[in-house]
Amino acid sequence: MRKLFLAASVLVFLAGCQKNMDDPLQDEAMLKGAEKCTTIQSGLIYTKSGEVIEPGFMENGYNYQAHLYNGEWEPDWQLVMKWNDAWLSNEDCDGDGLLDRHKGFDTYIGSGAWCTNHWTTTYVNDAGEECMYDEFTKIIAVPEDATLVDGIWYNNKGVEIGPEIWNQFAIIQEIINDPCEGVEGVSYKSPDHPGLGNW
């Protein structure tokens, strides 16, 4: 079975965190870090196709508020994705009208972003048996001091983090179960560490 590695992608528009420069009290409050962000509940954040992003599950399978996708990704493939706030936030705090990505960082590198993908499907093998296949993958944004060598990310001590994916990310764990092929359990685990934190 081919391996699939996809992540959630959403484009939204309409600016939200606008300061009222005519109100000195409001301006002073924002300078003190009290600036308000545009939230999903405001109804002012949209998908790329112009659909209002709403709290809870939408018809497309996304629950942006909960950092979750649960639905059919392509025919016969079911996908559950989870991500943290650094991967894709559920609000717009920088005023660009988009759900924030890699908050406080120019790119995902060093941001602490992570995503998990859990794929499931059934297929019929050459013997005519119906087989179950599932794959679980953990993906992290690599640290700022990571080095990419021949498609593998390494930490600053030369320890392998994991295979490169999407330029700024590494796969840190993969679990595949396919009983018809005699495959079961962990197929890859990062020698650095397979947990999602401390990156």
Side-chain angles (χ1 to χ4, degrees), residues 16-18 35-39 45 85 89-101 103-104:
C17 300
Q18 305 238 342
E35 183 175 1
K36 295 187 71 173
C37 301
T38 302
T39 65
I45 301 178
D85 206 50
S89 174
N90 53 21
E91 58 186 9
D92 169 28
C93 294
D94 60 11
D96 67 355
L98 306 174
L99 290 176
D100 292 339
R101 297 175 182 269
K103 284 185 179 180

Side-chain angles (χ1 to χ4, degrees), residues 7-155:
S9 177
V10 63
L11 295 175
V12 294
F13 61 95
L14 290 179
C17 300
Q18 305 238 342
K19 295 195 279 186
N20 181 356
M21 299 307 291
D22 296 327
D23 185 344
L25 293 177
Q26 182 180 6
D27 187 48
E28 181 180 350
M30 286 188 281
L31 289 173
K32 293 179 179 178
E35 183 175 1
K36 295 187 71 173
C37 301
T38 302
T39 65
I40 290 173
Q41 289 83 353
S42 72
L44 297 175
I45 301 178
Y46 293 74
T47 65
K48 183 180 180 180
S49 61
E51 183 180 6
V52 175
I53 294 177
E54 301 173 351
F57 280 99
M58 299 177 63
E59 289 186 7
N60 61 7
Y62 281 98
N63 184 332
Y64 294 100
Q65 184 66 38
H67 298 162
L68 179 65
Y69 171 88
N70 188 350
E72 185 178 82
W73 193 258
E74 56 183 47
D76 300 324
W77 283 95
Q78 291 296 312
L79 172 63
V80 176
M81 288 190 299
K82 298 178 181 180
W83 60 90
N84 69 351
D85 206 50
W87 187 285
L88 181 64
S89 174
N90 53 21
E91 58 186 9
D92 169 28
C93 294
D94 60 11
D96 67 355
L98 306 174
L99 290 176
D100 292 339
R101 297 175 182 269
H102 49 74
K103 284 185 179 180
F105 294 82
D106 293 333
T107 69
Y108 276 109
I109 292 178
S111 68
W114 59 258
C115 175
T116 64
N117 290 342
H118 185 195
W119 302 91
T120 56
T121 190
T122 59
Y123 69 98
V124 178
N125 66 9
D126 293 340
E129 303 170 306
E130 185 175 58
C131 303
M132 297 286 297
Y133 175 93
D134 76 76
E135 176 182 328
F136 178 76
T137 307
K138 294 179 183 178
I139 301 167
I140 57 99
V142 297
E144 289 180 316
D145 55 4
T147 303
L148 183 63
V149 179
D150 295 329
I152 303 293
W153 283 105
Y154 294 87
N155 69 17

